Amino acid sequence: MISFGETHELSFQEEILEMIPENAVVIMDRGFASWQFLERLSERKCSFVVRIKNNMRMKLNHERYRVVQFFDENQTEFRIATNLKELSDEEVSELYRHRWAIENLWKFLKMHLSLDKLITKSLNGVINQIYMVLIAYLILELVEIPEYFGKKLLDKLRYLQLELSRRCSIVHWSFDWQPELLVT
């Protein structure tokens, strides 16, 4: 299911509920924070961890749900609603932090590997573009560069761009493609 941001996530709740198997643990962001949607997940015997907006009304069944609050390293407040009774507050917040690592990966892919510019809107085209970007990401993970350039993925990307610009030029490419233009 692909959405180009034209409609709210909750407008897809029927399709999303169909995709989630019974007894699953679902970890979601604020776009899915609605007590009605969370109640429907609970009816399907699904457990959930979902970030809620700080101003979301707290009309919840305290016997079924609880809200965990934590702060990140920048002192940003996060409020997480869950029906996982057996986990501590720290374990619930750690689950959400793992989910946030996925957001950081998407941010990198969009910002630095141009995944934000979709070539097509067809499902097959979008899937192929995501695969291409993920392959580029994995290649960056495997590339070893001199330490003084840094160790982050962005450092590797900048190093590769620098090396490609030093070793390849449009002038050389044009002569390779059209050898009759070579002046002897």
Side-chain angles (χ1 to χ4, degrees):
M1 179 173 41
I2 299 173
S3 168
F4 292 96
E6 293 130 3
T7 56
H8 194 275
E9 287 98 335
L10 278 175
S11 60
F12 301 107
Q13 66 179 295
E14 293 303 321
E15 294 91 339
I16 292 168
L17 284 169
E18 287 177 22
M19 289 192 288
I20 300 170
E22 278 193 23
N23 300 315
V25 177
V26 183
I27 304 175
M28 304 171 289
D29 204 19
R30 291 184 291 198
F32 298 99
S34 125
W35 293 118
Q36 175 194 10
F37 181 68
L38 298 179
E39 188 64 36
R40 292 188 65 199
L41 279 173
S42 295
E43 289 168 4
R44 292 180 51 99
K45 298 184 179 22
C46 292
S47 299
F48 61 82
V49 173
V50 60
R51 181 175 176 194
I52 60 174
K53 296 175 184 172
N54 291 348
N55 62 355
M56 190 169 168
R57 291 187 187 166
M58 298 305 295
K59 291 183 181 177
L60 69 143
N61 180 342
H62 289 281
E63 293 175 13
R64 290 180 68 168
Y65 312 120
R66 65 186 166 124
V67 174
V68 175
Q69 178 182 354
F70 72 95
F71 295 87
D72 68 2
E73 62 276 351
N74 298 324
Q75 296 307 309
T76 303
E77 180 184 12
F78 290 83
R79 292 173 63 200
I80 310 295
T82 185
N83 59 354
L84 291 167
K85 300 285 188 196
E86 63 278 1
L87 297 181
S88 68
D89 289 357
E90 292 78 26
E91 290 170 322
V92 170
S93 60
E94 191 61 28
L95 278 175
Y96 188 77
R97 281 188 191 97
H98 285 297
R99 186 217 164 277
W100 197 251
I102 296 169
E103 292 291 335
N104 288 335
L105 170 64
W106 280 110
K107 180 180 178 182
F108 175 82
L109 295 175
K110 286 166 50 177
M111 289 178 65
H112 302 293
L113 299 179
S114 299
L115 188 58
D116 63 328
K117 298 175 186 99
L118 294 175
I119 298 167
T120 180
K121 287 190 174 185
S122 76
L123 178 61
N124 192 39
V126 171
I127 289 170
N128 285 336
Q129 187 174 352
I130 290 171
Y131 278 136
M132 288 187 299
V133 168
L134 288 174
I135 289 168
Y137 167 77
L138 292 172
I139 289 171
L140 282 176
E141 280 286 347
L142 295 172
V143 166
E144 293 184 20
I145 63 172
E147 277 189 43
Y148 57 87
F149 279 98
K151 297 183 180 193
K152 297 179 182 174
L153 283 174
L154 188 55
D155 298 329
K156 292 179 178 185
L157 182 63
R158 289 181 179 145
Y159 173 78
L160 289 175
Q161 288 172 331
L162 175 69
E163 284 299 309
L164 285 172
S165 68
R166 285 184 20 194
R167 297 173 194 256
C168 300
S169 72
I170 294 175
V171 173
H172 290 103
W173 284 350
S174 65
F175 285 123
D176 288 344
W177 285 100
Q178 301 171 350
E180 66 275 2
L181 295 178
L182 283 173
V183 178
T184 55

